[in-house]
Amino acid sequence: MASAVLSSASITMIITTWALATMLALPSASAFTTIHSSPIQSVSQKTTSQFFASSRTSSSSSSSSLPLQQSPSTNTQSTTRIMMSTWDDFGYDDDDELLDSGVDSDFVAADENDDPRIKAAAGMALEAPEVEYDGPVIDVPQGSRLALDEETVQGVLAACRQEIGTMFGYQAENRGVGITGGVDFVELDGPTVVLHLKGRFWHQRPTVLARVGAYLMARIPEIVDVVVEDEWELTDEANDMAA
């Protein structure tokens, strides 16, 4: 009987010992949390760490591979604009200067950059330079060999007024900006052509004479020289006093 009781007590102890051992062997709730969450957390932390580390490395690498940006230079180079125009060698005259020079007080000059129609409308207020010659216009190309006589010189001069018309006031557009200049034939003095300059020019008067002389001599080769009847006509004073 005692043996049976002992055996029952032993069994009870064995069961108790086994239960305790099992409880000790099983993981706790916190262990389960750690077991299930740690791998994810670990991977997430690792991934995040690798991302920021990669970003820093990439940023550092990109910064080192980019060329240094140079600050803009403060040095400036001066440039000269070259404007091509048929009004080359002209000087600008404002209204006050035109009025002081004797131009009609009712005249209001246009600007040289205005539309041609505006300049022509302004130029209608001024009379064109008078031309006494009413013969034919002799328009021949440069290099022609015309005979030297008064009629031929007059005819070629008439063509010259048209060919280099921007120098003269025969066109309303030119008069609109204050150009009233004209050129007249005076006489032939042997092989020398004598001319007369009148009115106001934007070119220097010696330049006007030189252009007209070159035009005549290029078509009438017998001409030796082209001059004005009075040297005073080539001065700035004569131009400033002209109407």
Side-chain angles (χ1 to χ4, degrees), residues 144-184:
S144 300
R145 303 184 66 83
L146 301 176
L148 177 58
D149 57 64
E150 289 190 6
E151 189 70 18
T152 302
V153 172
Q154 291 258 41
V156 174
L157 182 60
C160 178
R161 293 187 185 101
Q162 299 175 2
E163 182 72 19
I164 58 175
T166 55
M167 286 189 159
F168 305 112
Y170 298 109
Q171 302 174 14
E173 181 181 337
N174 297 343
R175 297 196 302 276
V177 291
I179 302 174
T180 60
V183 57
D184 293 329

Side-chain angles (χ1 to χ4, degrees), residues 145-149 190-192 216-217 219-225:
R145 303 184 66 83
L146 301 176
L148 177 58
D149 57 64
T192 299
L216 296 175
M217 296 173 73
R219 291 156 178 79
I220 309 174
E222 293 180 53
I223 297 177
V224 174
D225 199 6

Side-chain angles (χ1 to χ4, degrees), residues 37-207:
S37 62
S38 290
I40 298 174
Q41 182 180 5
S42 177
V43 171
S44 176
Q45 290 177 344
K46 181 179 180 181
T47 303
T48 305
S49 301
Q50 288 177 343
F51 171 77
F52 284 109
S54 176
S55 298
R56 288 194 296 269
T57 305
S58 175
S59 175
S60 175
S61 174
S62 299
S63 300
S64 61
S65 62
L66 291 174
L68 292 176
Q69 183 178 4
Q70 297 181 353
S71 59
S73 174
T74 56
N75 296 330
T76 57
Q77 296 181 351
S78 60
T79 57
T80 303
R81 296 182 64 187
I82 301 176
M83 306 296 291
M84 309 301 268
S85 170
T86 56
W87 304 97
D88 55 336
D89 298 332
F90 282 4
Y92 178 73
D93 295 314
D94 60 25
D95 293 349
D96 292 339
E97 291 177 343
L98 290 169
L99 296 177
D100 291 342
S101 67
V103 175
D104 191 335
S105 59
D106 294 330
F107 174 69
V108 178
D111 186 85
E112 65 174 288
N113 297 315
D114 284 341
D115 185 274
R117 291 172 296 182
I118 295 177
K119 290 187 284 188
M124 295 299 292
L126 300 176
E127 294 185 2
E130 184 179 358
V131 178
E132 296 181 358
Y133 175 73
D134 59 359
V137 176
I138 303 178
D139 187 4
V140 295
Q142 181 177 344
S144 300
R145 303 184 66 83
L146 301 176
L148 177 58
D149 57 64
E150 289 190 6
E151 189 70 18
T152 302
V153 172
Q154 291 258 41
V156 174
L157 182 60
C160 178
R161 293 187 185 101
Q162 299 175 2
E163 182 72 19
I164 58 175
T166 55
M167 286 189 159
F168 305 112
Y170 298 109
Q171 302 174 14
E173 181 181 337
N174 297 343
R175 297 196 302 276
V177 291
I179 302 174
T180 60
V183 57
D184 293 329
F185 173 77
V186 177
E187 64 178 354
L188 271 180
D189 185 6
T192 299
V193 176
V194 181
L195 302 176
H196 169 62
L197 297 181
K198 60 185 180 183
R200 186 182 181 87
F201 297 90
W202 271 15
H203 288 85
Q204 294 291 318
R205 285 186 167 213
T207 300

